[in-house]
Every structure is written in structure tokens, then in C-alpha cells.
Amino acid sequence: MTLLSVENLAVHFHTRAGQMRAVDGISFSVDHGEILAIVGESGSGKSVACYSLLNLIPQPPGKIESGTALFEGRDLLSMQPDTLRRIRGNEIGIIFQDPMTSLNPYLTVGEQLIEPLLYHRNLNRQQALKRAVTMLDEVGIADPETRIHSYPHEFSGGMRQRVMIAMAMIAEPKLLICDEPTTALDVTIQAQILSLIKALQKRRNIAVIFISHDLAVVAGLADRVAVMKEGRIVETGPVNDIFQNPHSDYTRTLLASIPSGSKPNLPQFCEQPLLVLDRLTTCFPNNSGGWLSRQKADKKAVNEVSLTIQRGEILGLVGESGSGKSTLGRSILQLVPVTRGSVIFDGIDLVGLRQKRMTPLRRRMQMIFQDPYASLNPRMTVFDCLAEPLLYHGLATRRTVTAQVLALMDDVGLARAAIRKYPHEFSGGQRQRIAIGRAIATKPELIIADEPVSALDVTIQAQILALILALVEKHNLTMLFISHDLSVVRYIADRIAVMHRGELVEMAGTETLFANPGHDYSRKLLSAIPALSTNPARSTRPPTELA
Amino acid sequence: MENPHSATLTQEQGSSLWRDGWIRLCKNHLALFGLAVIAFFCVIALLTPWIAPYGYEQQDLQLGASPPSAAHWLGTDIFGRDMLTRIMYGSRVSLLVGFVATGVALVIGVLWGTVAGYAGGRVDAVMMRLVDILYALPFMIFIVLLMVVFGRNILLLFLAIGAVEWLTMARIVRGQVQNLRHQEFIEAAFSMGLSRWIIIRRHLIPNTLGPVIVYTTLTIPNVMLLEAFLSFLGLGIQPPQSSWGLLISHGVESMEEYPWLLVFPGLALSITLFALNFLGDGLRDALDPRASKD
């Protein structure tokens, strides 16, 4: 039985640059007790489509141009704002992507939870609080009677997302819209949240619209999938059909972009390793400076990590956020002060090295950052950005620099015509290409790549990974590849190091680790990977156990 | 600057951000108009001794205060001095004070704020406490002390005003830099091995330009009025020399009988301020590559 049926919905944004068709005439429906996943890359209009149903898009510049959305026979789009408000949060619940920003930091969790009950259900505070406690218990928050009086910042990211789910579910909606609810979360937490959503959906028999960019997440969860691209739905079907038998080219591209399998051949290592870490420890002082505040115990972000990286090797470094993997990368490059231990790069200990001796070494080790929007100076053109390291380290003269920059742009696959453009004129993937170009400009030997593809869409991610692999081979680079995404690391790395709470818990060859994880935490990480990507070459082999 | 190639770098930057900025500024007609007005006023101020219709101390006590006429286009003041001449001479002082004192404030403030914000920690604490102490010092006492020690001198006036105005600038820039410092592109520049000075000059300062330019255009009129205030107290310029601020404050006294004594210097100041604001807004947009291109 159909709960929500959307016909020919079109939402356009009218901006100064012209009209943008965010949603361009889409139709879909959700039945009672069904999970519909809407999948697409960022900018494909999947969020806009769902937000416009609840009148949550900014108008103007947005405008709903046409369409109907029948929710139990009532058209949401032509409804009076007052009527719609009674449906929003009451009959249709919504969970947002970022649990950090979607809770009010100044109100206790309890206050926020009971809001919809007081408003929609006319319960008194006592009854509402009681219901809130039950709800928190149901979403798996331990000790709900005490926790209900906590503030959002006292919860971890995953717990906060549980609170958000409780908030969306407390008024017992018939339809739950989840907008990338696990994108901001670590992989083990993601697995817990997904199973929670699934369990709640089963128990209450509600309908769910699950918006995601990640096909792998969707595979184990949804009943039906709609694939969106540039404001249109290119394909809809039961989840098995989509994965086994995709009809549209775009779906096939999406499926092929999921990193699968591992690097075929291991490189031949020579004897002397390029980088040796010996009991490297990095602490952060617990106060923020100033004379008057007392020094508290330091937090050990990286604790006694020892490892070696061979020349020509790609070492994957995995762990959850807060495990100290980024700090380890920065400690190697001496971007944060190291507390103890040594970093021996090509026979030279970098720890405590004078700046004068460090500067020429910096040319030989470079970093690629996670966020291509923050890692490029917004006031420097591509040319400035790529020419700076060349000129500074004396690798180019003013006469040769333009040719060298152009060659570099060819190397990373940027159009030569873009040389005078500024970063904001590029897409995320192109920006990451600029950042990679800057990192390889000085012909370094070691590159620390800190989550270089996490901020990118899946098809772009595949392109950038291919680029990195090609460059590693071409320039004989050694790389420490930091990522929280095991399937990406498996695709690119020769060996994998697993970090947990600042310590290195396991280090093994990629396939050895996947086949036979030695440490409890590694096993936990591996089992948390969404179903699709645990199985290499899934896109070419029919998935049998998906149903 | 331990690197011989840094000189090349600076020129290279000059070729992009500033050149692109100039091209974009040229497309902004309002800003160009502002620039033209200011340039016009500056030229007039420079040429005043040669083109002024009368001498600045030339009085005509018989004439007294007379409204605009063919002989005196903007009228005369109560001593029969030609107002056009006085405004022209006044512009020399006002524009000079405005630009020089603001320039002083700009240079000290931006450098101080950037260094404090970038260094962080104790250096930052010491530098910013110094700013706080200077803030707390009563401005008048500071100026009077300077005047007492060094005597009355127009250069001192510039310095004194500049020395006070840079405090706010330093705070604004420091806040900006603190935000920028943790951005990855600064870390990227550092990991590239660039020296701190080059990071400050090439990566930090250009990214603070927006608020700095806006605050600068607000500082210039402030400084001009401050000069008038000091002159009014007898600490700055003395008649028969004049400045716009001085003319306005005298004009206010006889506003009801001789309105032209207030209107014309006021008009000169207002036009300059408008022009500066147009130019400032234009510059801010022109130097921000992300601003919309229309």
C-alpha cells in the first residue's frame, strides 16, 4: 500500500548565475514498511527533493515548479503551511547528516526530545519525559534516566546520532527521512546506526526514505533503490536488480567506482627503508596556553608507535577518528612537535632538527590534505600555487617555471587552459588534483596522504585513486595513505597499519590482514564495513547473499 | 628570508592577485569613479600653492563674511578670507593626515596582528596585552604628552594619530589570522618548507585583505575628524593654516548666520568619504577572487 507518492516533482533554484534545475521532474513512491534508498552524488538533487516535500528548502532562491506529493492522499506540496507543520515532525520524521550541528547546544537532550510531544501530542512534561526516557532506551543509550539531562556536547558523534533518531521517532511518524545519517560517522559506529535504523523500522513497521551517496551502505539496508543524477531519477528498482543487473550506464559507473580488490603485485623492496619510526610519541598539552591556566596531564595522541616504510611502498594507515592517525602523519613531517621517539628519514633523525636543516628536507616529503576546499589558498591561482614550491626550492627559474607548471598540470590531469583560474572555480575532484600537483611538484620521495579521497564523491574518488596509483608508479613515490575507509585502503595499499587510541595495534600485508586479522580491534573494523565492499570485485560478480 | 628565490616569488604574486584585482576594479565603474574623485582632490591639493585664487592668509576685513559671488566662488569667512582657497589649502592637511596616519596604522596594525595571530601562545599574549594597555591609555593624555615633549609638529600629529588607530586594526587582523592559521593551506605551505615570513606575506596577509580594506576606508574619515578635534583643542593645525575639520568646526559656530562656511567644507569631506567608500568596496571585491563577477 502506498504511503507517499511523488509525481513529477520539479524544484528549481533561481540564482544570479541563472536557473538551476536541482530536481527536474522526478516521480517515486514509498509503501508502508518499506525502505527506499535514494542514491546519487553530491549535487544530484536527492536532498533537495526530500526537503522540498516538507517545505524545508529556502524559498527563494528555491521554487517548487510543479508536481504533487500525496501522503496518505493529502498533497504535501499544495498544503497550507499550518497543516504541513502538523505533519512535519509528527507524521514524517527527519534525521539530518551532521549530528553535531542539528542539535541545539544550549538545551539538554531531554528538552529537545520532548518538544515534538508537547507540541504535537499535548502531553504534559511528566508524561513526555517518561516517553523520552523510553525512547532513549530504545535507541540504545545506556542509563537513559541520567543521560536525558545531558547536553549534546556530552555525547559522542554516534550517540548524538542516536539522540537524533530518538527525536525523529518519538512522535511515532509513519515516514522517516534519513539524510546521509552515517556519513559523518566512523565505520564501526556507522554499522551500529544502520542496524539500529533497520531494527526500529522493523519493530514499528514504518516507511523510510534513506538518502545516501554510498551504494555499499544502501546495499544491506534498502528494499528498493532510486538512483539520481543531475536532478533526475535514472533508475529505480528492487535493491538486487540494481546491483546485479543495472540498466543505466550511470548506475554501472557508480558500481564500478566502488573500490574493490587489492593491488595485484607487490613492489620489490630494497634493503634500506625510507622511513623508520621508533617509539614515536606525540602529546598535546591539555590547556590552550596562557600563563594563568594550570598545566593538566597531556593527552597522548600518538603513543609509542614504531614502524618502517620501504621505498616504493604504499602503507595504509587505518583507524577511527581520534585514533591519532592524522597526528602520526603530521608528526612524521614535524608539523606538530614530537614529544619522544625518533623519525628517521633516509638515515636522518628529523626530531629536534634545526629549521635550517629541516627546510631542504621538506622538499623531499610532502603532504596531501583531506579537504581540498581548505588546503588551497583561495587567493592564489593554479599557477601561483604550483609555481611556489618550484621557485622557492630553486627547482625552476622564472624562464622555465611556466613550462614546468604546465607539465605538472598534465601530470595530474588538469586542463592547461585552467592555469590562471582560482581554486573556487574548480570542483572538489579538480581541487584535489591541484593539491596533488603541489605535493609532487618538488619531486618528493615520501608523501603523506591524509584522507585524500574522503571528501569526494565515489566516481571522483575512483579517478583520484587511479591518479595517485599512476603517479606513485611514475615517480617511484613512497606513500603513507591515511584513511578511515578500509575498502579504499585495500585498493591502494601494499601493507596496512591499524591504529586504535594512539597505539599501533596491528600491521600486516593487505591481503593477510583482510584474510586473517590478528587483533580484536582489526576484526571489529573489518566486520563493520558495509556489505558490498567486504567482497572484492562485487561489481563483476553477482551478489548472492544480498537478499 | 633565508632563501635567494623569495624575491622572484614576490614578483610572481604581483603578477596574479594584484593584476587580476586591477582588471576587476576597472570593471567596477563606481569604484573607478571613487578613485577618480580622490585622484582629482589629490592633484588639486598638490597644485594649490600655484592655482589657488588667493593667498591663504590674505584677509579682507572690509568684506567680512560674504556669500558666494563671482570674485569669491564659495564665499568668504568673517575675516574676508576666500573659502575656496581655504578649502584647497585645508585639503592638503586633511588628505595628508588621512592617508599618512591611516598608512601608519595600516602597516603597524597588519604586521602586529599577523605576527601575534600566527605566533600564538605567549608571544600572542604579550603582544595583545600591550595593545590592551595602549587601548586603556587615555588618548588625549597621550597626545598632550607627545606635544609637550616634542613640541607642535605636523609630523608628530600623523604619528600620534597613527599610533592610536593601529590598535583596532591589529585586533581585527589577529582575529582573522587566528582563523586562517589552522586552515590546511597554511599547514601545506609550512610543510612545503616555506619560511614563516613568506607564509605571513604570501598566504596570510592577502587573505585578511577584505576586512582590512573596509576598516581602512572607515579609518580615513575618522582620522580626518580626529585631526579637526585636535586642532580645535589647539593641538593640531592653527589658523590661518586650515584643514577641513577645522573649517567645519568653525563653520558650525556660525551655521545660522553664514551657512556657506559649514556647507562647502562639509561637502568636500563628504564627497571624499563617499569616494573612499566606493573605492574600498570595489577594492575588497576586486581582491577577492571568490566575489561574483558581474
Side-chain angles (χ1 to χ4, degrees):
Chain A
M1 197 175 69
T2 309
L3 176 68
L4 172 74
S5 139
V6 176
E7 286 292 335
N8 199 26
L9 173 69
V11 184
H12 295 181
F13 282 87
H14 300 269
T15 60
R16 264 200 290 181
Q19 180 177 301
M20 209 263 290
R21 294 167 180 230
V23 177
D24 198 9
I26 64 167
S27 306
F28 62 89
S29 65
V30 191
D31 292 346
H32 280 284
E34 182 189 43
I35 303 187
L36 170 75
I38 301 182
V39 180
E41 297 185 20
S42 51
S44 60
K46 54 194 193 302
S47 297
V48 173
C50 292
Y51 286 8
S52 57
L53 297 181
L54 294 177
N55 202 8
L56 286 175
I57 54 165
Q59 302 188 49
K63 186 161 184 277
I64 297 169
E65 300 284 341
S66 69
T68 53
L70 294 178
F71 180 73
E72 296 187 311
R74 297 163 292 173
D75 185 8
L76 295 172
L77 298 181
S78 60
M79 208 173 258
Q80 288 302 312
D82 277 352
T83 330
L84 186 61
R85 199 160 63 224
R86 243 165 275 145
I87 291 182
R88 198 161 55 205
N90 186 19
E91 293 178 55
I92 301 180
I94 186 157
I95 303 171
F96 297 98
Q97 174 173 353
D98 192 351
M100 310 282 172
T101 54
S102 41
L103 286 169
N104 184 339
Y106 287 93
L107 289 178
T108 62
V109 159
E111 288 298 326
Q112 300 183 58
L113 272 172
I114 62 174
E115 241 171 16
L117 293 179
L118 299 178
Y119 181 75
H120 290 299
R121 290 276 183 275
N122 292 323
L123 296 181
N124 63 30
R125 278 185 66 87
Q126 224 73 50
Q127 295 165 312
L129 276 171
K130 217 166 162 186
R131 278 281 293 283
V133 170
T134 332
M135 196 64 228
L136 280 183
D137 192 36
E138 196 174 341
V139 296
I141 286 180
D143 193 14
E145 287 88 356
T146 337
R147 293 300 266 163
I148 199 161
H149 301 295
S150 306
Y151 287 90
H153 70 267
E154 299 173 74
F155 290 88
S156 67
M159 286 297 150
R160 233 174 278 169
Q161 196 59 292
R162 283 172 193 264
V163 173
M164 278 302 293
I165 293 173
M167 221 163 122
M169 297 289 292
I170 198 161
E172 295 174 6
K174 294 168 188 145
L175 173 66
L176 184 65
I177 297 176
C178 308
D179 185 11
E180 307 244 8
T182 59
T183 307
L185 303 175
D186 278 324
V187 59
T188 48
I189 312 288
Q190 165 172 300
Q192 293 165 11
I193 296 290
L194 288 178
S195 63
L196 173 68
I197 290 176
K198 184 109 187 163
L200 283 173
Q201 183 265 343
K202 275 241 166 67
R203 199 177 315 149
R204 303 260 180 112
N205 196 32
I206 56 171
V208 174
I209 297 180
F210 191 94
I211 303 171
S212 179
H213 69 281
D214 191 343
L215 273 171
V217 164
V218 164
L221 184 77
D223 301 312
R224 278 191 311 128
V225 178
V227 181
M228 269 191 88
K229 187 197 183 199
E230 289 161 12
R232 293 166 187 275
I233 291 184
V234 294
E235 188 166 0
T236 328
V239 65
N240 285 350
D241 284 5
I242 294 279
F243 284 101
Q244 288 173 22
N245 199 4
H247 289 291
S248 78
D249 288 340
Y250 181 67
T251 314
R252 273 192 285 272
T253 317
L254 271 185
L255 284 168
S257 300
I258 297 172
S260 57
S262 57
K263 282 180 73 179
N265 47 347
L266 288 168
Q268 297 298 309
F269 297 136
C270 42
E271 298 80 43
Q272 202 204 3
L274 180 66
L275 185 75
V276 180
L277 307 185
D278 186 26
R279 283 174 304 169
L280 181 68
T281 304
T282 300
C283 303
F284 287 124
N286 236 338
N287 65 347
S288 50
W291 299 318
L292 298 179
S293 45
R294 204 182 325 149
Q295 203 87 18
K296 292 176 206 146
D298 289 350
K299 179 177 175 279
K300 280 184 185 163
V302 175
N303 193 4
E304 306 248 317
V305 170
S306 305
L307 56 83
T308 55
I309 305 181
Q310 305 289 338
R311 276 178 202 276
E313 180 187 36
I314 300 183
L315 177 69
L317 181 61
V318 296
E320 300 189 358
S321 54
S323 62
K325 53 191 196 307
S326 285
T327 309
L328 180 64
R330 284 171 163 77
S331 304
I332 293 172
L333 293 183
Q334 309 296 309
L335 294 177
V336 292
V338 170
T339 314
R340 271 191 305 281
S342 55
V343 177
I344 295 162
F345 174 78
D346 200 17
I348 308 165
D349 189 352
L350 303 180
V351 176
L353 207 60
R354 285 268 179 105
Q355 204 185 340
K356 215 169 186 174
R357 292 199 50 209
M358 189 66 204
T359 302
L361 284 173
R362 290 212 179 277
R363 184 188 70 72
R364 300 170 59 189
M365 51 187 95
Q366 288 293 321
M367 183 144 182
I368 301 170
F369 294 88
Q370 172 174 5
D371 185 357
Y373 290 88
S375 64
L376 298 172
N377 187 337
R379 297 192 190 234
M380 280 167 73
T381 59
V382 176
F383 175 78
D384 287 334
C385 182
L386 296 181
E388 183 175 52
L390 291 172
L391 289 170
Y392 186 83
H393 288 289
L395 300 169
T397 63
R398 278 182 64 72
R399 208 170 305 151
T400 62
V401 70
T402 311
Q404 275 172 282
V405 167
L406 285 174
L408 213 50
M409 291 174 74
D410 291 343
D411 243 10
V412 295
L414 283 168
R416 284 179 164 220
I419 190 165
R420 291 281 171 203
K421 283 193 180 170
Y422 288 91
H424 72 277
E425 298 171 73
F426 293 96
S427 68
Q430 286 170 318
R431 281 162 161 253
Q432 200 57 296
R433 283 174 194 268
I434 303 174
I436 291 172
R438 178 178 59 186
I440 63 164
T442 57
K443 303 227 178 308
E445 290 146 67
L446 175 69
I447 287 190
I448 312 273
D450 187 4
E451 306 253 11
V453 295
S454 316
L456 305 175
D457 277 327
V458 61
T459 50
I460 309 295
Q461 175 176 317
Q463 292 165 14
I464 296 291
L465 285 176
L467 173 71
I468 289 177
L469 276 179
L471 289 172
V472 164
E473 191 145 324
K474 184 174 173 190
H475 299 286
N476 193 27
L477 299 170
T478 307
M479 184 174 276
L480 179 68
F481 190 97
I482 302 170
S483 179
H484 70 278
D485 188 338
L486 276 160
S487 45
V488 166
V489 172
R490 183 181 201 181
Y491 176 74
I492 201 165
D494 302 309
R495 284 191 304 154
I496 295 183
V498 183
M499 272 188 87
H500 183 46
R501 293 189 184 157
E503 292 180 25
L504 190 69
V505 297
E506 187 172 4
M507 182 141 141
T510 303
E511 282 318 302
T512 323
L513 182 86
F514 271 81
N516 193 8
H519 191 272
D520 278 350
Y521 181 70
S522 314
R523 272 194 287 279
K524 207 173 130 202
L525 264 186
L526 287 178
S527 64
I529 304 177
L532 189 72
S533 39
T534 47
N535 195 341
R538 160 78 66 186
S539 46
T540 51
R541 218 157 56 196
T544 42
E545 69 273 38
L546 266 177
Chain B
M1 287 207 279
E2 57 263 53
N3 199 298
H5 299 279
S6 47
T8 357
L9 280 177
T10 326
Q11 291 163 16
E12 212 44 67
Q13 185 196 22
S15 72
S16 289
L17 181 68
W18 298 99
R19 196 194 54 190
D20 287 359
W22 174 246
I23 294 170
R24 285 154 66 92
L25 188 69
C26 287
K27 290 182 189 151
N28 186 339
H29 298 298
L30 209 54
L32 274 191
F33 173 71
L35 185 65
V37 168
I38 290 164
F40 175 71
F41 276 20
C42 287
V43 169
I44 295 274
L46 279 176
L47 298 180
T48 295
W50 296 279
I51 61 169
Y54 299 89
Y56 69 91
E57 36 195 0
Q58 197 176 325
Q59 299 186 354
D60 187 350
L61 290 170
Q62 307 259 270
L63 188 61
S66 69
S69 63
H72 301 280
W73 289 357
L74 303 184
T76 55
D77 68 3
I78 47 169
F79 300 109
R81 291 180 292 206
D82 181 53
M83 278 305 284
L84 179 61
T85 308
R86 299 205 78 202
I87 289 175
M88 282 164 79
Y89 274 101
S91 72
R92 289 163 73 85
V93 173
S94 286
L95 291 177
L96 202 61
V97 170
F99 290 127
V100 173
T102 307
V104 171
L106 191 69
V107 171
I108 304 180
V110 168
L111 282 180
W112 193 273
T114 317
V115 170
Y118 183 60
R122 299 215 164 145
V123 179
D124 177 42
V126 171
M127 288 177 86
M128 290 326 281
R129 287 309 78 72
L130 198 72
V131 169
D132 292 345
I133 290 168
L134 286 179
Y135 249 121
L137 215 67
F139 171 62
M140 286 318 302
I141 293 180
F142 177 63
I143 302 261
V144 171
L145 273 178
L146 275 180
M147 296 281 172
V148 169
V149 176
F150 295 103
R152 189 180 297 148
N153 181 336
I154 193 158
L155 270 177
L156 201 64
L157 190 72
F158 297 158
L159 271 180
I161 297 177
V164 175
E165 290 289 328
W166 71 268
L167 299 172
T168 316
M169 185 71 83
R171 281 194 170 176
I172 291 174
V173 172
R174 171 180 173 260
Q176 284 278 310
V177 169
Q178 275 195 321
N179 280 339
L180 289 170
R181 183 164 71 113
H182 297 291
Q183 298 246 357
E184 283 179 344
F185 71 87
I186 300 297
E187 211 176 357
F190 184 74
S191 75
M192 216 181 280
L194 300 192
S195 73
R196 280 165 211 278
W197 176 238
I198 289 194
I199 292 177
I200 287 180
R201 220 182 37 195
R202 275 172 61 76
H203 292 276
L204 284 175
I205 291 182
N207 279 295
T208 60
L209 280 179
V212 166
I213 289 172
V214 171
Y215 185 68
T216 305
T217 52
L218 293 176
T219 305
I220 293 176
N222 232 352
V223 165
M224 289 181 179
L225 294 175
L226 205 59
E227 177 272 326
F229 175 58
L230 290 175
S231 300
F232 186 68
L233 291 178
L235 295 172
I237 314 295
Q238 291 305 308
Q241 285 190 314
S242 67
S243 71
W244 289 348
L246 205 58
L247 289 175
I248 291 172
S249 64
H250 285 166
V252 172
E253 291 166 16
S254 50
M255 186 168 66
E256 307 214 329
E257 302 98 308
Y258 318 118
W260 59 91
L261 296 188
L262 175 63
V263 167
F264 293 117
L267 217 55
L269 187 64
S270 316
I271 291 172
T272 313
L273 302 195
F274 269 115
L276 276 171
N277 272 317
F278 291 149
L279 181 62
D281 280 358
L283 270 177
R284 185 195 53 196
D285 291 348
L287 291 176
D288 185 357
R290 284 165 299 184
S292 63
K293 284 182 178 169
D294 49 12

